[in-house]
């Protein structure tokens, strides 16, 4: 174990993860804990929190990538920040092992309270070629890469003459029919339409979008009638919707199968494969001594304290996607826990912070209980679907649903500064239009410099001069154009 870097020598609340839960817990506790003589320490490999509901709009070019993230350093100024990854927790001895983000040697961090807020990662399956060819939509980097790839493939295809290569470049496949998958494919399709309008060498009917969903319906968060409308809407835009269909292989060509009878469905080539078929709790929880339920989440009570078969584990808390939080409304998952979404994570974080602070003063804790407000989804400009549960259940579609989507997420975006940037971005796009400028070589930013710094190629050697006699003979054989014309006239 490496020497521990210089850390605050005060009673520590260790927050593992800087996403929705981690950011809000630190925001709500940092001043209180500091005034009481302690310190809040947040550990995350990234220096920012990503507002994931905005990732499809980043991929579609409607939101600037930097505006969809919240800087830890800017907004957690009374929090001790460590950029790294917690690789293990020994709660019996109140220590955590942290691996620095730069690859340095791990070190131990002591704590008094620990908050598990490590969130979720993309859930994949052992499909041949998926790891090599696919890309997720869980990080801001993936969203930016998707935007640039859509624009790059359209531009490259416009100069291709091989029909097969052109079709491959213009085929975009999204696997997963949940909110992330539907919003992703519709925003990408909107972006592609805008790019094609600016490129006379491409026709809209050449661009192919395919949605692959293993279930018999999409978007379980909305009503069955709304889900059917969404399928009709997608198909009206030329998007192929393949239900009861699974990706069997991504090695070479994409191979799809019909799930009911396990028969081959389609086989085609595509340069772009997006995987949005679910998430799973961060596997780091298995490197702790906390109780974990079958789905890989930490077991917690309604008051968000971690508890096992032997009872409550003191000074240990968890919330968000990494925790199996009981849904006291009875409207959650089949196992009785809360749906893993941003709506629950934000509210659980605030309740956890209040309960942790109350526990310091032996005050009663309150259970987390939140009635789902519904679901909103945007499908590109002035298109969307919403199911709002305020006074009864209100179903919306089209422009009103799109406005509800933007209104809710604009308000839910953490910090006033980030709200302002996002909303101003929307206003600017309304007047200036969607930005379809492709950013080149982000994966190789030093390419131009390396090429410029390389030794200049030596000039080609001049051809050897012919012997004097040969030169004289050559001069004699030259024909005066006037003489040639005269000869031809004769």
């Amino acid at each position: 174990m490496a020497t521990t870097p210089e850390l605050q020598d005060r009673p520590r609340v260790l927050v593992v993860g800087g996403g929705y839960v981690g950011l809000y817990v630190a925001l709500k506790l940092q001043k209180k804990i500091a005034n009481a003589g302690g310190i809040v320490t947040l550990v995350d490999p990234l220096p920012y929190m990503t507002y994931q509901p905005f990732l499809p709009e980043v991929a579609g070019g409607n939101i600037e990538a930097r505006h969809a993230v919240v800087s830890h350093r800017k907004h957690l100024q009374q929090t001790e920040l460590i950029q790294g990854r917690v690789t293990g927790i020994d709660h019996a001895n109140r220590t955590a092992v942290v691996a620095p983000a730069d690859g340095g040697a791990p070190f131990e961090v002591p704590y008094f309270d620990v908050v598990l807020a490590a969130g979720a990662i993309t859930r994949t399956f052992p499909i041949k070629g998926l790891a090599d060819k696919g890309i997720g939509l869980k990080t801001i980097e993936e969203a930016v890469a998707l935007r640039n790839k859509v624009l790059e493939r359209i531009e490259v295809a416009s100069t291709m003459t091989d029909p097969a290569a052109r079709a491959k470049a213009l085929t975009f496949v999204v696997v997963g029919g949940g909110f992330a998958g539907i919003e992703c494919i519709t925003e990408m399709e909107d972006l592609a339409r805008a790019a094609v309008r600016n490129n006379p060498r491409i026709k809209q009917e050449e661009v192919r979008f395919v949605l692959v969903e293993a279930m018999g319906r999409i978007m379980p968060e909305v009503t069955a009638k709304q889900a059917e409308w969404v399928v009709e809407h997608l198909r009206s835009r030329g998007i192929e919707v393949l239900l009861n269909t699974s990706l069997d292989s991504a090695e070479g060509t994409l191979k799809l199968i019909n799930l009911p009878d396990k028969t081959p469905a389609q086989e085609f080539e595509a340069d772009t494969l997006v995987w949005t078929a679910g998430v799973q709790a961060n596997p780091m929880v298995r490197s702790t001594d906390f109780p974990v339920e079958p789905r890989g989440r930490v077991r917690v009570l309604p008051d968000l304290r971690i508890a096992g078969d032997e009872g409550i584990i003191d000074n240990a808390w968890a919330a968000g996607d990494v925790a199996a939080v009981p849904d006291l409304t009875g409207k959650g998952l089949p196992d009785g826990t809360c749906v893993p979404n941003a709506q629950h994570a934000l509210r659980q974080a605030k309740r956890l912070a209040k309960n942790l602070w109350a526990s310091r003063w032996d005050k009663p804790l309150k259970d987390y209980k939140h009635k789902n407000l519904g679901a909103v989804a945007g499908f590109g400009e002035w298109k969307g679907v919403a199911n709002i549960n305020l006074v009864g259940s209100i179903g919306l579609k089209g422009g009103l649903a799109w406005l509800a989507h933007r209104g809710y997420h604009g308000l839910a975006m953490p910090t006033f500064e980030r709200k302002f940037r996002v909303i101003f971005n929307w206003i600017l796009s309304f007047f200036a239009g969607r930005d379809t400028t492709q950013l080149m070589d982000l994966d190789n930013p030093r390419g131009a410099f390396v090429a410029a710094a390389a030794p200049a190629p030596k000039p080609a050697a001049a051809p050897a001069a012919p012997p004097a006699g040969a030169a004289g003979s050559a001069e004699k054989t030259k024909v005066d154009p006037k003489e040639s014309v005269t000869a031809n006239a004769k």
Side-chain angles (χ1 to χ4, degrees):
M1 196 71 63
T3 303
T4 303
E6 185 178 350
L7 300 174
Q8 294 282 342
D9 186 20
R10 291 187 277 169
R12 175 175 286 104
V13 175
L14 178 64
V15 181
V16 181
Y20 304 110
V21 174
L23 176 74
Y24 270 96
V25 167
L27 271 174
K28 298 298 182 182
L29 287 178
Q30 59 180 355
K31 186 175 181 180
K32 293 178 180 179
I33 295 295
N35 290 341
I39 184 73
V40 174
T41 299
L42 186 145
V43 180
D44 193 281
L46 299 174
Y48 50 77
M49 169 263 192
T50 303
Y51 191 70
Q52 292 179 5
F54 281 157
L55 292 181
E57 289 207 53
V58 172
N62 274 324
I63 293 179
E64 163 64 37
R66 292 172 301 162
H67 299 169
V69 300
V70 180
S71 167
H72 292 153
R73 187 67 65 183
K74 180 177 179 63
H75 296 283
L76 299 177
Q77 296 187 5
Q78 290 179 278
T79 295
E80 183 180 53
L81 299 173
I82 300 176
Q83 198 169 332
R85 193 180 304 275
V86 173
T87 59
I89 293 177
D90 179 7
H91 190 65
N93 294 303
R94 300 294 198 275
T95 58
V97 177
V98 176
D102 64 358
F107 56 88
E108 288 188 346
V109 177
Y111 64 81
F112 182 79
D113 282 288
V114 64
V115 177
L116 289 188
I121 64 172
T122 300
R123 180 187 64 186
T124 61
F125 300 104
I127 298 172
K128 291 181 180 179
L130 177 60
D132 297 324
K133 196 167 188 175
I135 184 172
L137 191 64
K138 200 81 174 69
T139 69
I140 198 70
E141 294 80 7
E142 289 173 326
V144 172
L146 266 178
R147 175 187 178 277
N148 285 322
K149 185 164 187 181
V150 171
L151 297 173
E152 184 265 347
R153 288 290 82 194
I154 289 174
E155 188 64 34
V156 168
S158 72
T159 58
M160 288 180 174
T161 56
D162 180 4
R166 190 177 174 106
K168 179 182 178 182
L170 295 175
T171 299
F172 305 91
V173 180
V174 175
V175 180
F179 261 60
I182 302 298
E183 290 189 313
C184 174
I185 199 168
T186 50
E187 286 286 354
M188 286 169 58
E189 195 268 345
D190 247 20
L191 175 66
R193 282 184 180 274
V196 168
R197 281 197 298 268
N198 295 330
N199 192 327
R201 294 191 298 266
I202 293 284
K203 295 180 180 179
Q204 183 60 47
E205 53 267 26
E206 292 183 271
V207 185
R208 183 185 184 191
F209 281 90
V210 183
L211 178 72
V212 179
E213 169 54 43
M215 304 297 289
R217 62 161 287 183
I218 61 172
M219 301 181 75
E221 299 88 348
V222 300
T223 66
K225 186 175 181 180
Q226 286 177 314
E228 291 173 3
W229 177 85
V230 173
V231 171
E232 292 175 3
H233 170 77
L234 297 180
R235 288 173 175 163
S236 72
R237 293 168 63 169
I239 299 173
E240 300 174 40
V241 181
L242 306 179
L243 302 178
N244 295 310
T245 304
S246 176
L247 177 65
D248 185 53
S249 174
E251 204 170 37
T253 60
L254 300 186
K255 297 178 182 178
L256 309 178
I257 59 171
N258 291 315
L259 288 181
D261 52 14
K262 303 293 183 181
T263 58
Q266 291 190 39
E267 185 173 341
F268 55 87
E269 290 190 305
D271 275 347
T272 307
L273 173 63
V274 187
W275 181 270
T276 64
V279 297
Q280 61 181 345
N282 195 316
M284 66 78 51
V285 301
R286 299 189 181 277
S287 300
T288 71
D289 49 1
F290 296 127
V292 177
E293 48 94 68
R295 295 182 59 176
R297 299 171 298 173
V298 179
R299 293 166 57 186
V300 300
L301 298 175
D303 59 18
L304 304 175
R305 288 180 293 177
I306 298 177
D309 294 334
E310 298 179 0
I312 296 170
I313 300 176
D314 292 333
N315 306 105
W317 310 78
D321 294 356
V322 80
V325 181
D327 191 331
L328 301 182
T329 68
K331 302 292 185 180
L333 296 172
D335 63 359
T337 59
C338 292
V339 176
N341 61 22
Q343 187 178 145
H344 280 300
L346 293 172
R347 288 166 175 80
Q348 288 170 11
K350 295 176 181 179
R351 172 47 53 200
L352 189 157
K354 290 178 180 178
N355 281 352
L356 190 155
W357 183 247
S359 71
R360 290 289 181 92
W361 310 100
D362 294 325
K363 293 183 178 181
L365 310 185
K366 294 184 179 181
D367 290 344
Y368 172 75
K369 184 178 181 180
H370 169 66
K371 180 183 177 182
N372 196 322
L373 298 178
V376 290
F379 301 157
E381 294 178 350
W382 300 103
K383 299 178 285 287
V385 68
N387 188 26
I388 301 173
N389 300 323
L390 292 176
V391 181
S393 181
I394 303 172
L396 300 174
K397 58 186 180 182
L400 286 177
W402 178 77
L403 289 173
H405 161 77
R406 286 206 161 177
Y408 174 79
H409 287 298
L411 293 174
M413 180 70 186
T415 77
F416 175 81
E417 174 248 347
R418 259 4 191 198
K419 285 182 174 67
F420 176 80
R421 290 182 186 274
V422 168
I423 294 172
F424 182 78
N425 214 162
W426 283 337
I427 295 171
L428 181 62
S429 296
F430 180 80
F431 291 102
R434 187 189 300 263
D435 190 345
T436 58
T437 306
Q438 177 198 349
L439 299 179
M440 300 286 291
D441 298 326
L442 290 181
D443 56 342
N444 183 28
R446 294 185 64 248
F449 179 80
V450 171
K458 294 181 179 179
S473 300
E475 290 176 0
K476 290 179 181 179
T477 59
K478 289 182 179 178
V479 179
D480 189 326
K482 296 181 180 179
E483 294 179 0
S484 177
V485 171
T486 305
N488 289 336
K490 293 180 180 178

